[in-house]
Amino acid sequence: MPRHVFALSLLALACTRPAPAPPSVAPEPGEERHLSNIRQLTDGGENAEAYFSADGRRLIFQSTRDGRTCDQQYVMNADGTGVRRVSSGAGKTTCGYFFAGDRRIFFASTQAADSACPRRPDPSKGYVWGLDRFDIYTANADGSDLRRLTHYGRYTAEGTLSPDGRTIVFTSLKDGDLDIYTMSVDGTNVRRLTSAPGYDGGPFFSPDGTKIVYRAWHPTDSTELAQYRALLAQEIVRPNRMEIWVMNADGSDQRQVTRLGGANFAPFFTPDGRRIVFSSNYRNPRSRNFDLYLVNLDGSGLEPVTTNPEFDGFPQFSPDGRRLVWASNRHGAKPGETNIFVADWKP
């Protein structure tokens, strides 16, 4: 989703409205060997894309709750207490992140286009995801002093922060294709990093700030490319084919990491910067069962992290590298519930 809204876009594949999710099955000892002391931080509804503050004490996440029909931004303590809405309540939001020493946040919102939730795509078009008219906003960490950072009026979201706190990397349709850009945290110095026709998105910096990991699909068949562009003209995309890519922070040396098939998304570097954790349904691309995997930067060493027979996605490591937070359908009280989980990380 955004990365997002990929949050709840792939959750359409993974967790929302279709058939009920398969029953929860506790993993056998050692099946999720990288995770210990798993804790559930939210309870009910649709919650996704939880990202740590720089001090590791808080999380910002998107959630559909409080009677709303689309996502707003919330902040909670890292133990799940103190949940508070920090977006205005207007429009739809996605992809929140802390910056400026955790004093401020940025996120994407459609509120300039419409204060109501955007319409869902026409179901007759099959599995598609609406490219809602997000722009990026900043606010104080409590939601006050809201300011609009971008003014493109087209899908602009999936923003995350460089380790030095100076640069936002994001995805936008502003130039007619779904590409990755960087800008200074004040919205200046916008630079386009990708240009191949197709979807490039969900970018995150490496811990040292020298690389960016992202998801991409570049249709090479002329028919597929025409179909992709026809959907873009309607502000929709079909995001069920993605692979993981890496590039230098300046956009150079773009290279494909995975060649798995299916939907591979939500990549994030491990604390040492040598591997990538990501979500995939490659074992059964028609399945709603996404798991987390580790892979080396050259595509070798693929290893499962989660084995629960439901959706697991949107992983992020805490700043100290000791915890992993992610969104999952496991243990939901109702089919389709997505909650935020955190676990101690065992390398």
Side-chain angles (χ1 to χ4, degrees), residues 245-293:
W245 287 61
V246 168
M247 62 181 163
N248 292 334
D250 63 2
S252 62
D253 192 24
Q254 296 175 15
R255 51 198 171 88
Q256 188 172 341
V257 176
T258 64
R259 289 174 172 81
L260 297 173
N264 304 276
F265 78 108
F268 195 86
F269 282 96
T270 56
D272 61 8
R274 296 178 180 178
R275 304 185 80 184
I276 298 162
V277 61
F278 66 100
S279 184
S280 177
N281 70 343
Y282 85 95
R283 288 180 171 174
N284 183 357
R286 294 182 179 275
S287 170
R288 297 181 302 145
N289 179 23
F290 284 75
D291 275 305
L292 302 183
Y293 294 85

Side-chain angles (χ1 to χ4, degrees), residues 175-187:
D175 294 318
D177 198 15
L178 287 163
D179 282 302
I180 294 173
Y181 298 76
T182 55
M183 65 180 171
S184 299
V185 292
D186 64 359

Side-chain angles (χ1 to χ4, degrees), residues 53-66:
S53 58
D55 63 9
R57 296 180 179 178
R58 288 175 290 172
L59 290 159
I60 186 169
F61 66 105
Q62 63 192 46
S63 181
T64 302
R65 58 173 68 201
D66 302 334

Side-chain angles (χ1 to χ4, degrees), residues 146-332:
L146 183 68
R147 304 176 190 176
R148 188 175 175 182
L149 191 61
T150 66
H151 294 78
Y152 302 132
R154 302 199 73 185
Y155 181 83
T156 300
E158 307 178 23
T160 61
L161 189 68
S162 62
D164 63 9
R166 298 177 181 177
T167 303
I168 296 172
V169 62
F170 63 99
T171 300
S172 181
L173 189 57
K174 75 184 192 69
D175 294 318
D177 198 15
L178 287 163
D179 282 302
I180 294 173
Y181 298 76
T182 55
M183 65 180 171
S184 299
V185 292
D186 64 359
T188 62
N189 302 316
V190 178
R191 180 177 181 180
R192 185 175 179 177
L193 301 187
T194 62
S195 58
Y199 190 175
D200 297 286
F204 281 93
F205 282 95
S206 60
D208 64 5
T210 63
K211 294 181 176 63
I212 292 171
V213 64
Y214 59 107
R215 64 172 183 262
W217 178 58
H218 303 146
T220 55
D221 176 87
S222 59
T223 300
E224 287 185 336
L225 183 57
Q227 291 172 343
Y228 166 76
R229 286 175 169 164
L231 291 176
L232 278 192
Q234 303 170 64
E235 297 187 320
I236 53 179
V237 69
R238 186 167 284 116
N240 54 357
R241 295 170 60 185
M242 295 281 174
E243 298 290 349
I244 306 303
W245 287 61
V246 168
M247 62 181 163
N248 292 334
D250 63 2
S252 62
D253 192 24
Q254 296 175 15
R255 51 198 171 88
Q256 188 172 341
V257 176
T258 64
R259 289 174 172 81
L260 297 173
N264 304 276
F265 78 108
F268 195 86
F269 282 96
T270 56
D272 61 8
R274 296 178 180 178
R275 304 185 80 184
I276 298 162
V277 61
F278 66 100
S279 184
S280 177
N281 70 343
Y282 85 95
R283 288 180 171 174
N284 183 357
R286 294 182 179 275
S287 170
R288 297 181 302 145
N289 179 23
F290 284 75
D291 275 305
L292 302 183
Y293 294 85
L294 287 169
V295 68
N296 295 326
L297 270 60
D298 64 0
S300 66
L302 185 68
E303 178 186 356
V305 174
T306 63
T307 58
N308 193 278
E310 302 189 36
F311 175 84
D312 290 286
F314 308 107
Q316 191 211 25
F317 287 98
S318 60
D320 62 8
R322 296 180 179 180
R323 291 166 290 166
L324 184 77
V325 66
W326 78 101
S328 179
N329 288 164
R330 64 180 68 197
H331 311 319

Side-chain angles (χ1 to χ4, degrees), residues 9-79:
S9 101
L10 274 179
L11 294 188
L13 257 177
C15 76
T16 59
R17 299 167 180 76
S24 176
V25 177
E28 294 297 326
E31 279 189 356
E32 295 185 328
R33 68 177 188 84
H34 289 289
L35 307 176
S36 67
N37 192 23
I38 297 174
R39 290 92 74 194
Q40 183 173 332
L41 301 184
T42 61
D43 185 14
E46 295 178 350
N47 307 275
E49 294 206 62
Y51 302 117
F52 280 102
S53 58
D55 63 9
R57 296 180 179 178
R58 288 175 290 172
L59 290 159
I60 186 169
F61 66 105
Q62 63 192 46
S63 181
T64 302
R65 58 173 68 201
D66 302 334
R68 291 179 169 82
T69 58
C70 61
D71 289 324
Q72 292 295 312
Q73 294 296 305
Y74 293 80
V75 167
M76 63 181 168
N77 296 326
D79 63 0

